[in-house]
Amino acid sequence: MRVAVAFSLFLLACGGSSSPQGPVQLQITAAGIAPNAITIPTGAQVRFVNKDTASHRITSSNCPELSTQALATDETFTSAPLTGPKTCNYNDTVNPGTSFAGTVTILQPGVDGGSGY
């Protein structure tokens, strides 16, 4: 019993948690989306933040949960928790091009990928 309590206290002191730390942020600027390729654990969320003066609209044909409304300057969109394993491709329909496209790889449940996420 003492070992279990001590281990629980150790986890709390180290910040151990089985839940994600919050959305992974992808910045949209005039130069493109950064980072444009990420790997996240199942249950994580993605947040697109438009830091450009132009509007952007992200769409994903194979992962509609990543599709946004038109985002004006400083507007954000946060996805629902994502479930894997799968790879989602996305692009900006307002500003097509490789710098405005990318991938989100979602790992299978129970795998964190060592991302520090």
Side-chain angles (χ1 to χ4, degrees):
M1 178 65 174
R2 286 184 188 182
V3 172
V5 171
F7 184 69
S8 296
L9 290 174
F10 173 76
L11 284 178
L12 287 172
C14 293
S17 172
S18 62
S19 64
Q21 298 175 355
V24 176
Q25 191 163 291
L26 303 177
Q27 295 254 346
I28 306 168
T29 66
I33 299 173
N36 67 347
I38 60 171
T39 300
I40 59 174
T42 284
Q45 295 173 281
V46 172
R47 176 176 293 145
F48 289 97
V49 180
N50 185 7
K51 292 296 185 183
D52 192 4
T53 56
S55 291
H56 295 271
R57 183 169 183 248
I58 306 304
T59 59
S60 175
S61 60
N62 64 330
C63 297
E65 59 269 39
L66 289 179
S67 296
T68 74
Q69 72 281 2
L71 299 174
T73 302
D74 292 326
E75 284 190 318
T76 66
F77 169 83
T78 303
S79 72
L82 301 167
T83 304
K86 64 182 173 181
T87 298
C88 301
N89 301 306
Y90 65 83
N91 66 298
D92 181 353
T93 58
V94 176
N95 301 286
T98 57
S99 59
F100 291 98
T103 59
V104 175
T105 301
I106 306 149
L107 300 172
Q108 68 184 14
V111 176
D112 73 6
S115 65
Y117 181 77

